[in-house]
Amino acid sequence: MAFLSFILRFLPRAVTQGIPLLYGCTGEILTEKSGNLNLGIPGIMYVGGISGIIGGFFYETYAAEMNPVLTILIPFVCSLLGSGLMALIYSFLTITLRANQNVAGLALTIFGEGVGNFFGGSLVKLVNNGSAEIKLNKTNVAFRQVLPFAKDWGWFGELFLNYGFLAYLAILVAVAVALVLKRTKTGLNLRAVGENPATADAAGINVTRYKYVATCVGGMIAGLGGLYYVMDYQMGTWANDGALGARGWLAIALVIFALWKPHVGIIGSVLFGGLYILYNYVGVARNIEPLFNMLPYVVTIVVLIITSIRKKRENQPPASLGLAYFREER
Amino acid sequence: MKGIPAIELRNVTKKFGSVVANKNVNLSVMRGEILSILGENGSGKTTLMNMISGIYYPDEGQIFIDGEEVVIRSPKDAFRYKIGMIHQHFKLVDLFTAAENVVLGLEEKEKYSVKSAAQKVAELCERYGFEIDPNKKIYEMSVSEKQTVEILKVLYRGADILILDEPTAVLTPQETQKLFAVLRKMREEGHSIVIITHKLHEVMSLSDRVSVLRKGEYIDTVVTAETTEEELTEMMVGQKVVLNIERSEPKDRRERLMVKDLNCTNTDGVKMLNHVSFTAYSGEILGIAGIAGSGQRELLEAIAGLQSLESGEILYHNPKTDEVVELRDKNTKQIHDLGVRLSFIPEDRLGMGLVANMGIVDNILLRRYQKGKGMFVQRAKPREIAEQIVEDLNVVTPDLKTPVRRLSGGNVQKVLLGRELSFTPTVLMAAYPVRGLDINSSYTIYNVLNEQKEKGVAVIFVGEDLDVLIDLCDRIMVINSGTITGMVDARSATKEQIGLLMTKTDGGAEA
């Protein structure tokens, strides 16, 4: 039974590690399917996190009595707005102005981290209680609320029912995006835009609109990863430590690992999350911890090598990924 | 509906800047009729069809559909009038299946599903006799299958006027026959079909009537049954125009480049060179005539070491050492190291020839940097050459550092030619060197080619204007779908003779 107890300790931790990655991965897949390589995901996750913190902070500080629905809804909507705005900046730069996607994305990442740390620092000053971090005691409880009967279900409850609602939402969103991409006309049109925008344009698809919507919705989904990270994983605290950025890059690696399939991302996120914290469970010295943090990237490289050798067209990134679309001269 | 044309053009004119692409063209197509549009490269066939399919908008003239005047401003408008165009370059998503490509972008009321789309496409195939699996991915398909998907796309959208832009250019004779059978079937169902081509035997075997264009002008429409290939060729190429290009007799003519039995197939599986053999001599200009895309590019690139070959030999006779060396399967560097002084003016001047964002000096440096010593580039010599080129060829440029993309087409060509000539080549290959150039620049280029010929260089000139080829070259080799169909003496050849060699295929599709 030692194994079961290990699983019971390890797997829930791997899942909570994986959920931010899953949001980032699903959002980035949706974005990339429109042909936009958004390397601004780490920055967007920062902004998604800090926006949620700001919303929650003001509600918790200034509301006389906290309405449980608003306690969730205010940070949630703030997070969506913040990350949506970031994605909109990226969309405007790369779709309308046709700026280089890599440059725009990296700039957004640096910008997003700065925004997060700036407002995080401001809030710390506002509280001015000698602590270097913000802690939203009530909001985080609402976000971390698990199903009341989880305890009655033994190991099943501990493994599958013991998470905040954002964790389940992450899986729902991933499944929904997978279905939209594969089964619907909208998904077909979106994939056509990412594969061959000229053909999509000739077929009467509004390429610009598809790119904008996919990138902005994708950004909002990724931003929820930041919200989960601060509200649930960090229990409502904000610290200017850069840990969220590492999750953003892992999410982008996860896109490659998942071969641009959101449902594969679900399994991948747990795997990545598990690999990322494996050092806690194998009893290694603290100084080789970073070596273990590398494991998800090593796995990604292995996947890249295998898919590159097999050259299966379905497992390749969207054909026009990273390229701006110019309609041919008329 | 007999009597009223399905589509009619009256006095349609289209200009691009000062260039007239179409001038006063009149055309009409009946229901249940196949009309061929015949013309050389640049005669305005594709421009004309693009106006019907909504890609261009005519400057003057009217378009009628079923007797009513219409305005077609976009491809969507064309869809509405049930006009479908099958372009030369396919617009398909490689990763999608045939069925997914067919339904892409359509707004249908019923719920979308991959299965029902495949079902409908299968029904359409059945009706017209296409053999295609709706669930096959485009990237797994042959060229002819891809073309079938394009045709299915327009039929699925309910098109009853079909325009095909050189549909047989990429097909094998068997595939062409199949396509023609389908087109005849559509004609029986009352569709109107316009097919752009320059293959005479296809015109004769398929179409009911033929309209001929020449240099943008509408010549005439004739009933196919009442005409001959010779008559059509004459209409297509027109009267010989005298150009007054000087031509000297070849001196000291010696074998310089021997090409033997070259074969090459492109990535789509189309045979681009088919048993090509010829010899280029020093001190003469060898012209290559042919419809665009007949294998000229592959031939020149094979000689320059840029194209891999299935079989064949390329032998070079070195005039200095009197040795014969094999050039096949060697890259440009290896060819250069063998002491072969080969200069190549590619068709795509700013893509393959020059780096558009660099100035004249740096572009010259590109071909010379290996000559420098030490770790720093030495610009002194290239600058000297650049100054020389600007002076000799009257290149108009603000200075030597201006990116070449800012120069006009003629000046770009002069820079490229000047650079290649600065290596005193023994073989000079030029592909369409005067394309897009004004008269003065063109004559400058002709003079330069003549000078090279007098210096004993073997010049290979790929051209499209038959008047120029006949007046400039010593011999003209005609290439047709990768096969050499003739080698004529330019001093006695006629345009009709060359035109027939370019377009006629013996033993081709006799359907």
Side-chain angles (χ1 to χ4, degrees):
Chain A
M1 281 295 102
F3 179 71
L4 182 65
S5 83
F6 169 75
I7 289 293
L8 284 183
R9 272 189 300 130
F10 178 67
L11 215 51
R13 297 295 297 159
V15 171
T16 46
Q17 274 291 343
I19 294 300
L21 311 185
L22 180 55
Y23 274 117
C25 170
T26 309
E28 179 70 3
I29 288 175
L30 193 63
T31 307
E32 291 195 11
K33 283 290 178 183
S34 77
N36 281 356
L37 177 66
N38 189 354
L39 294 180
I41 290 294
I44 289 178
M45 285 169 79
Y46 258 102
V47 173
I50 194 68
S51 306
I53 288 279
I54 292 171
F57 174 80
F58 282 106
Y59 188 63
E60 197 169 316
T61 314
Y62 297 107
E65 199 172 308
M66 288 183 78
N67 173 326
V69 176
L70 284 182
T71 308
I72 300 276
L73 206 59
I74 288 176
F76 192 82
V77 170
C78 285
S79 170
L80 287 183
L81 287 178
S83 46
L85 189 66
M86 289 287 280
L88 195 64
I89 294 173
Y90 174 84
S91 303
F92 179 71
L93 287 173
T94 61
I95 304 167
T96 304
L97 302 181
R98 301 195 188 96
N100 180 302
Q101 295 189 5
N102 297 332
V103 175
L106 290 173
L108 207 65
T109 284
I110 297 164
F111 174 67
E113 183 164 351
V115 168
N117 290 342
F118 172 75
F119 284 105
S122 308
L123 287 184
V124 169
K125 286 219 177 73
L126 211 58
V127 179
N128 201 16
N129 63 357
S131 158
E133 52 178 43
I134 302 288
K135 188 157 173 72
L136 304 178
N137 290 314
K138 293 172 193 150
T139 313
N140 101 72
V141 172
F143 271 89
R144 285 155 49 77
Q145 179 66 50
V146 300
L147 294 169
F149 49 85
K151 291 205 171 54
D152 310 332
W153 289 61
W155 65 268
F156 183 83
E158 260 182 76
L159 266 190
F160 295 105
L161 305 176
N162 213 8
Y163 308 101
F165 79 98
L166 276 178
Y168 301 102
L169 184 67
I171 290 166
L172 276 181
V173 169
V175 171
V177 170
L179 284 178
V180 166
L181 285 176
K182 197 161 170 71
R183 292 283 165 79
T184 67
K185 190 87 210 200
T186 313
L188 185 75
N189 292 352
L190 178 64
R191 283 187 288 138
V193 168
E195 285 291 330
N196 192 337
T199 296
D201 195 15
I205 296 168
N206 188 336
V207 173
T208 306
R209 195 172 76 199
Y210 268 88
K211 275 179 171 260
Y212 258 96
V213 172
T215 307
C216 290
V217 173
M220 287 164 142
I221 295 173
L224 288 180
L227 184 69
Y228 175 88
Y229 180 78
V230 293
M231 290 300 181
D232 197 325
Y233 184 81
Q234 294 282 35
M235 305 189 198
T237 59
W238 178 272
N240 287 355
D241 62 359
L244 199 42
R247 265 78 182 178
W249 292 117
L250 271 176
I252 291 172
L254 183 56
V255 172
I256 299 164
F257 175 85
L259 305 172
W260 291 266
K261 296 180 177 81
H263 51 285
V264 181
I266 299 172
I267 308 293
S269 68
V270 180
L271 176 71
F272 271 39
L275 289 173
Y276 199 64
I277 53 162
L278 192 62
Y279 64 87
N280 278 325
Y281 297 86
V282 291
V284 295
R286 235 184 131 63
N287 53 2
I288 64 161
E289 203 186 292
L291 285 179
F292 278 78
N293 290 157
M294 277 174 16
L295 283 177
Y297 296 105
V298 173
V299 174
T300 304
I301 291 169
V302 170
V303 168
L304 259 182
I305 291 170
I306 293 170
T307 52
S308 301
I309 291 172
R310 289 186 58 205
K311 285 203 172 80
K312 199 171 169 226
R313 289 287 293 265
E314 281 79 0
N315 293 341
Q316 301 302 318
S320 83
L321 185 62
L323 308 173
Y325 174 59
F326 293 86
R327 178 180 276 199
E328 275 167 48
E329 288 294 310
R330 286 240 166 123
Chain B
M1 201 72 79
K2 260 266 143 56
I4 301 173
I7 186 159
E8 186 182 3
L9 306 187
R10 281 191 209 152
N11 295 320
V12 168
T13 299
K14 176 74 190 173
K15 291 179 195 150
F16 295 103
S18 61
V19 182
V20 182
N22 283 135
K23 193 176 164 193
N24 291 329
V25 177
N26 290 286
L27 267 191
S28 66
V29 194
M30 298 292 174
R31 299 259 164 226
E33 184 186 50
I34 299 180
L35 176 79
S36 290
I37 305 218
L38 189 65
E40 288 186 289
N41 299 322
S43 58
K45 304 177 300 261
T46 304
T47 307
L48 187 65
M49 292 304 112
N50 280 341
M51 281 192 280
I52 302 178
S53 61
I55 291 174
Y56 297 139
Y57 188 71
D59 296 329
E60 285 166 40
Q62 297 155 295
I63 300 176
F64 296 85
I65 288 186
D66 292 331
E68 275 178 53
E69 187 170 356
V70 295
V71 178
I72 305 172
R73 290 198 174 271
S74 70
K76 269 200 170 163
D77 285 353
F79 277 157
R80 219 174 48 236
Y81 296 117
K82 303 193 165 181
I83 300 168
M85 179 145 174
I86 289 112
H87 295 269
Q88 243 176 316
H89 303 286
F90 304 137
K91 289 202 179 297
L92 297 169
V93 181
D94 279 351
L95 205 59
F96 286 8
T97 65
E100 284 174 328
N101 267 291
V102 169
V103 299
L104 186 66
L106 276 184
E107 283 151 27
E108 286 172 299
K109 288 198 182 70
E110 55 198 289
K111 207 173 152 279
Y112 163 77
S113 88
V114 181
K115 240 189 202 163
S116 71
Q119 176 88 39
K120 277 189 251 172
V121 171
E123 281 164 20
L124 209 56
C125 292
E126 181 100 8
R127 189 166 138 209
Y128 291 100
F130 293 113
E131 291 160 17
I132 204 158
D133 174 5
N135 295 316
K136 194 169 176 183
K137 295 268 168 86
I138 301 296
Y139 69 82
E140 297 169 330
M141 289 186 173
S142 68
V143 188
S144 101
E145 285 176 300
K146 287 180 193 172
Q147 188 179 57
T148 307
V149 177
E150 283 283 4
I151 297 174
L152 281 170
K153 247 166 86 174
V154 297
L155 287 178
Y156 191 84
R157 283 161 172 74
D160 53 18
I161 300 168
L162 272 90
I163 303 165
L164 296 102
D165 189 0
E166 294 185 28
T168 59
V170 291
L171 302 183
T172 65
Q174 291 80 6
E175 290 167 340
T176 303
Q177 293 223 25
K178 263 192 204 167
L179 174 69
F180 284 3
V182 168
L183 294 180
R184 289 194 185 100
K185 180 111 189 211
M186 289 182 202
R187 172 171 64 185
E188 278 167 34
E189 297 218 352
H191 288 76
S192 308
I193 292 160
V194 181
I195 174 167
I196 297 178
T197 182
H198 29 227
K199 294 184 184 167
L200 281 172
H201 68 278
E202 293 178 2
V203 172
M204 300 306 286
S205 81
L206 182 71
S207 59
D208 301 302
R209 290 188 303 145
V210 195
S211 293
V212 182
L213 298 181
R214 187 203 309 148
K215 299 203 163 104
E217 283 188 62
Y218 170 73
I219 304 301
D220 201 4
T221 300
V222 292
V223 175
T224 315
E226 296 166 5
T227 187
T228 60
E229 293 191 6
E230 284 71 23
E231 193 190 356
L232 287 176
T233 310
E234 209 178 304
M235 284 168 71
M236 194 163 84
V237 296
Q239 292 294 315
K240 174 83 183 73
V241 182
V242 181
L243 294 168
N244 289 322
I245 302 171
E246 278 177 43
R247 173 164 54 192
S248 55
E249 286 298 317
K251 284 179 298 213
D252 193 25
R253 199 165 164 272
R254 289 202 189 153
E255 287 188 347
R256 179 64 53 82
L257 192 70
M258 289 78 78
V259 169
K260 290 178 185 163
D261 202 29
L262 291 193
N263 285 292
C264 135
T265 307
N266 72 5
T267 47
D268 285 332
V270 178
K271 191 125 193 166
M272 295 311 294
L273 294 178
N274 190 8
H275 301 287
V276 169
S277 302
F278 68 93
T279 304
Y281 294 90
S282 60
E284 73 157 18
I285 299 182
L286 172 67
I288 299 182
I291 301 294
S294 298
Q296 298 97 319
R297 183 194 174 111
E298 285 74 13
L299 179 58
L300 295 198
E301 290 186 0
I303 296 170
L306 301 168
Q307 168 82 44
S308 62
L309 292 164
E310 277 157 34
S311 63
E313 278 184 311
I314 302 166
L315 301 173
Y316 171 81
H317 178 251
N318 191 328
K320 270 192 191 153
T321 58
D322 217 28
E323 277 173 334
V324 174
V325 288
E326 166 75 82
L327 304 187
R328 191 193 154 190
D329 294 336
K330 294 198 168 66
N331 64 29
T332 46
K333 173 95 172 25
Q334 289 165 326
I335 289 174
H336 182 264
D337 291 347
L338 280 173
V340 179
R341 292 215 301 278
L342 188 73
S343 280
F344 178 29
I345 317 277
E347 191 178 337
D348 180 10
R349 293 161 206 165
L350 286 181
M352 267 176 83
L354 300 170
V355 178
N357 281 330
M358 299 198 324
I360 299 177
V361 176
D362 285 2
N363 266 300
I364 288 165
L365 186 69
L366 271 185
R367 280 270 282 180
R368 308 188 55 100
Y369 72 97
Q370 281 154 332
K371 292 190 178 157
K373 291 191 189 80
M375 59 184 285
F376 297 107
V377 291
Q378 290 160 356
R379 283 204 170 75
K381 183 73 184 164
R383 189 171 296 120
E384 226 172 80
I385 296 173
E387 279 163 4
Q388 196 67 43
I389 292 172
V390 170
E391 198 186 306
D392 288 352
L393 298 176
N394 292 320
V395 179
V396 182
T397 173
D399 59 51
L400 297 178
K401 283 180 182 158
T402 307
V404 289
R405 74 182 145 81
R406 295 223 207 116
L407 308 185
S408 74
N411 288 313
V412 168
Q413 187 66 294
K414 287 177 192 169
V415 171
L416 179 54
L417 194 61
R419 180 184 77 183
E420 292 305 318
L421 296 183
S422 72
F423 296 98
T424 53
T426 51
V427 176
L428 173 65
M429 300 189 290
Y432 309 108
V434 297
R435 183 182 277 175
L437 268 53
D438 60 34
I439 302 283
N440 282 332
S441 303
S442 301
Y443 274 85
T444 311
I445 306 279
Y446 300 146
N447 288 338
V448 169
L449 294 178
N450 269 323
E451 273 169 30
Q452 293 301 311
K453 164 184 164 182
E454 277 162 32
K455 281 185 190 165
V457 175
V459 181
I460 298 176
F461 174 85
V462 176
E464 47 194 347
D465 190 330
L466 294 184
D467 291 323
V468 172
L469 279 163
I470 288 174
D471 278 5
L472 176 72
C473 303
D474 296 296
R475 289 182 304 149
I476 299 171
M477 179 167 86
V478 185
I479 189 165
N480 180 348
S481 304
T483 307
I484 304 297
T485 48
M487 178 74 89
V488 297
D489 183 348
R491 287 176 177 76
S492 59
T494 63
K495 280 172 86 174
E496 288 73 23
Q497 182 192 3
I498 298 171
L500 264 180
L501 287 169
M502 278 163 62
T503 50
K504 199 171 169 175
T505 316
D506 293 323
E510 296 293 336

